[in-house]
Amino acid sequence: MVTIRWNPERGWHDAVVQPYRPLELDPAAMVLHYGQAIFEGLKVYRQPDGSLKSFRPEANAERFRSSARRLAMPELPDELFLGSIAELLKVDGRWVPEQDEESLYLRPFMISTEKGLGVRPAKEYVYALIASPAGSYFSGGLKPVSVWLCTEFVRAAPGGTGAAKCAGNYAASLQAQAQAAEQGCDQVVWLDAMERHWVEEMGGMNLFFVFGSGADAKVVTPELSGALLPGITRDSILKVAADLGHAVEERKLSTEEWEKKVGTGELTEVFACGTAAVITPVGRVKHAGGEFLVNGGEAGEVTMKLRQELTAIQRGGEDVRGWMRT
Ligand code: PMP
């Protein structure tokens, strides 16, 4: 693991690569009480020539700084974020697996460590980077997921922390995820906090909607409202889809439009995307008033093509945008 400490006098200091071990925390460490905790998630892929590359780590570094600002934490400079990955890979590079769909998952995070019970931004922090080999996300093949449109609980509100990758967002999501499971669904779909009408994202992934089919298909994703996480996979798919000649749109999309246009056949495919699984088709949608299938519950053609494009880049295929970094 890598750790780097921060305080106002010394700034970022004491950077060290050390064996994985427990962190020592005072019981009054402010993170335990007021929750200044942010994280990132990205993957390192072994390339056909044996070298190691990560997917768009600068984008994670930037999002980490943006999460830090929202939680009133110090921003880790990108050189340190990227440098911590390089240093960890120097000692742990052999843990990056070789099989297709396997990777080394990196988990950078930062917590406040100052002790004190006053509510204010802490004056001491630790940044740490840990890693774990990750197997194939879909050991039984790419299976479409079922989703629960949740109107009882919300993930994020306007002006809240939805666009930050902070620990509290995930704590707040667990009860809704449990409700989705009770409803027999794999994942929860988050709706906007004000009207419970607009689709935001799914569990820990962003959502895409495909209108039409083939090369003429239009690819739509909910706009960044400030309440959803700006996914790096989301951004990559918008670019790859446009390169493939698809019309792409970031806009508001309601649960009514979702059901109605699946009914008329205009809305042909729905998928979710994120670092963990890249792209996951959505097959069944359930809400308080009923349920319906998208594309007969099967993975769609545009979904699979976009997945193929992105995974090819990650696996050493042509990388015209220079997304893969050593
Ligand atoms: N939304 C949420 C809430 C997430 O936790 C994630 C995973 N980081 C995503 C979307 C997808 O983001 P990315 O593509 O950067 O992994």
Side-chain angles (χ1 to χ4, degrees):
M1 63 194 277
V2 173
T3 56
I4 314 178
R5 298 196 167 272
W6 186 92
N7 65 28
E9 294 76 39
R10 299 179 64 193
W12 293 102
H13 64 281
D14 284 355
V16 56
V17 186
Q18 59 185 316
Y20 190 93
R21 64 165 178 81
L23 295 171
E24 200 166 282
L25 278 184
D26 190 282
M30 289 169 80
V31 64
L32 301 176
H33 306 271
Y34 308 126
Q36 280 181 295
I38 58 170
F39 65 99
E40 268 305 325
L42 68 163
K43 286 176 166 179
V44 181
Y45 302 88
R46 195 170 289 282
Q47 303 298 295
D49 66 1
S51 67
L52 304 178
K53 289 191 179 167
S54 51
F55 183 69
R56 304 191 68 186
E58 292 92 348
N60 295 91
E62 186 187 339
R63 188 170 65 187
F64 196 60
R65 281 191 288 102
S66 148
S67 299
R69 280 195 300 279
R70 182 63 185 84
L71 278 277
M73 300 166 86
E75 291 181 43
L76 182 75
D78 293 3
E79 315 81 86
L80 289 182
F81 185 95
L82 300 171
S84 71
I85 296 173
E87 291 302 319
L88 191 73
L89 288 178
K90 275 186 201 161
V91 294
D92 275 345
R94 66 186 188 285
W95 286 101
V96 183
E98 281 170 18
Q99 296 299 311
D100 240 21
E101 304 268 329
E102 293 184 344
S103 58
L104 187 73
Y105 181 75
L106 301 177
R107 170 50 61 88
F109 64 99
M110 191 203 319
I111 55 170
S112 55
T113 51
E114 185 190 351
K115 65 179 171 199
L117 298 180
V119 180
R120 56 166 175 77
K123 295 202 187 83
E124 289 167 17
Y125 296 86
V126 63
Y127 162 79
L129 172 64
I130 55 174
S132 167
S136 166
Y137 203 77
F138 296 101
S139 42
L142 196 64
K143 198 171 139 286
V145 294
S146 54
V147 298
W148 169 243
L149 307 185
C150 183
T151 49
E152 186 177 359
F153 305 110
V154 295
R155 173 181 176 276
T161 57
K165 208 161 164 56
C166 61
N169 287 348
Y170 297 83
S173 77
L174 302 174
Q175 200 180 1
Q177 178 58 37
Q179 189 182 67
E182 274 166 29
Q183 291 292 334
C185 293
D186 300 310
Q187 292 287 338
V188 57
V189 164
W190 302 110
L191 305 178
D192 76 289
M194 308 303 283
E195 300 174 62
R196 314 286 162 90
H197 180 68
W198 304 106
V199 178
E200 294 202 317
E201 48 188 330
M202 179 195 95
M205 302 176 86
N206 294 111
L207 280 168
F208 273 86
F209 298 81
V210 179
F211 291 82
S213 60
D216 294 333
K218 185 200 280 185
V219 175
V220 176
T221 193
E223 67 190 11
L224 296 178
S225 61
L228 53 116
L229 193 81
I232 292 155
T233 319
R234 173 189 179 280
D235 182 71
S236 308
I237 288 168
L238 284 171
K239 293 177 169 131
V240 166
D243 285 353
L244 288 172
H246 293 290
V248 298
E249 225 176 83
E250 296 175 75
R251 65 165 170 90
K252 281 173 173 268
L253 190 139
S254 69
T255 52
E256 283 80 357
E257 180 181 358
W258 187 346
E259 182 156 16
K260 187 169 144 243
K261 294 196 175 161
V262 164
T264 61
E266 291 162 84
L267 174 43
T268 49
E269 304 175 28
V270 179
F271 64 85
C273 66
T275 296
V278 190
I279 283 181
T280 305
V282 173
R284 185 166 66 91
V285 184
K286 186 174 179 189
H287 54 76
E291 60 178 271
F292 58 97
L293 295 179
V294 183
N295 195 37
E298 302 296 325
E301 186 195 325
V302 176
T303 302
M304 295 311 285
K305 187 177 61 177
L306 289 169
R307 187 171 203 281
Q308 169 58 31
E309 289 285 326
L310 262 192
T311 53
I313 295 169
Q314 293 168 341
R315 288 288 156 197
E318 199 188 355
D319 174 23
V320 287
R321 294 177 180 274
W323 280 343
M324 302 305 293
R325 318 293 293 196
T326 44

